[in-house]
Amino acid sequence: MATVMDDDPSVEFHAFFERHHAELARFARLLTGETEAGDDLAADALLALWHRWDRVRATAHPVAYARGVVAHLARSRLRGTIRERRRVALFWAGRSHHTDGPDVPAVLDLQDALRALPFRKRACVVLRHAFDLSEKDTALALGISVGTVKSQTSKGMAELKRLLGEDRATALTPTRMRTAGAMAEGGPR
C-alpha cells in the first residue's frame, strides 16, 4: 500500500525525487553504460512520474514503478542506439576501408561485460547484485515474474563468468558491482 506523506502532491513528489533520484540515475547508468544518458533517463523518468503522480502515488510500490519506467526508457534508448549504429555501419560498408581486425582488449572490465549482456539479463543482474533487491522487488520493477528474474539473473551471471573468466566473475560482490556503477558515473563515491 502506498504511503501518502503529505496532502500536497508537489511536496510529496519533491520528497520522492530527493529520496530516489540518485538511485534511479545509477540504475540507468548501469543499464546503458553511459553516465550522461543515465542522468538524462532518470530525469525523463521522473518527469514522466510527475505527470502521472496521482496514479503513481496510489500504487503499492511507487519506487518499483519508477524503476520500471527507467528500465523501459533505457531499453528504448538502447534500441535506438542499435538502429543508429546499423545505419552508420551500412553507410561505411560501401566505403573502401581496410582494417586488420578489431582492436579487442585482452581483459574485459565489468562495465564492458555488463554492456554485452542482453537488456533483461543486465537489468536483473544489476538490480539483484548492484542494488541488492530481492527477486520479488526486481520482478516488480521490471514487470516480469519472479521465475523470470531467477532465470535471467542466473543466465546473466553465467554470461559474465564466460566474459570475465570464472575467477573474476566469482569475485563479483555487490560492492564491486556498485563500484562499477560509480565508475560509470565518473569515479567512486
Side-chain angles (χ1 to χ4, degrees):
M1 180 171 203
T3 303
V4 177
M5 300 178 332
D6 196 301
D7 289 337
D8 183 0
S10 64
V11 171
E12 182 182 5
F13 179 79
H14 181 75
F16 180 89
F17 178 95
E18 291 294 323
R19 211 170 30 258
H20 300 290
H21 175 264
E23 171 194 344
L24 294 172
R26 188 170 56 130
F27 177 45
R29 285 183 207 112
L30 284 167
L31 290 178
T32 63
E34 301 173 21
T35 301
E36 290 178 17
D39 293 339
D40 290 346
L41 289 175
D44 290 347
L46 286 161
L47 180 61
L49 292 174
W50 169 245
H51 289 297
R52 297 184 212 113
W53 187 243
D54 286 341
R55 220 176 334 155
V56 173
R57 69 193 288 224
T59 66
H61 304 282
V63 176
Y65 186 94
R67 288 182 187 126
V69 172
V70 169
H72 173 74
L73 290 172
R75 183 181 310 117
S76 295
R77 179 177 176 83
L78 290 171
R79 286 180 178 159
T81 301
I82 289 168
R83 281 191 301 272
E84 181 62 24
R85 286 181 183 161
R86 285 181 183 151
R87 282 192 289 264
V88 169
L90 285 172
F91 173 78
W92 287 106
R95 309 269 179 177
S96 62
H97 179 64
H98 176 71
T99 61
D100 293 327
D103 181 17
V104 180
V107 178
L108 295 170
D109 65 6
L110 179 57
Q111 292 174 355
D112 288 340
L114 282 170
R115 279 192 291 272
L117 294 179
F119 181 81
R120 186 178 282 180
K121 289 178 188 171
R122 182 182 333 148
C124 288
V125 167
V126 166
L127 287 173
R128 292 282 293 126
H129 295 284
F131 285 82
D132 294 324
L133 290 186
S134 68
E135 290 165 342
K136 181 180 176 186
D137 289 340
T138 301
L140 276 170
L142 298 176
I144 58 178
S145 72
V146 171
T148 301
V149 169
K150 289 178 182 181
S151 70
Q152 292 295 294
T153 303
S154 175
K155 289 175 183 176
M157 290 304 292
E159 284 188 45
L160 285 177
K161 285 179 183 179
R162 182 182 61 77
L163 292 168
L164 296 171
E166 184 76 29
D167 294 340
R168 288 182 61 206
T170 304
L172 291 179
T173 63
T175 302
R176 286 194 178 137
M177 293 285 281
R178 283 190 292 274
T179 300
M183 297 293 282
E185 297 171 21
R189 296 198 187 265

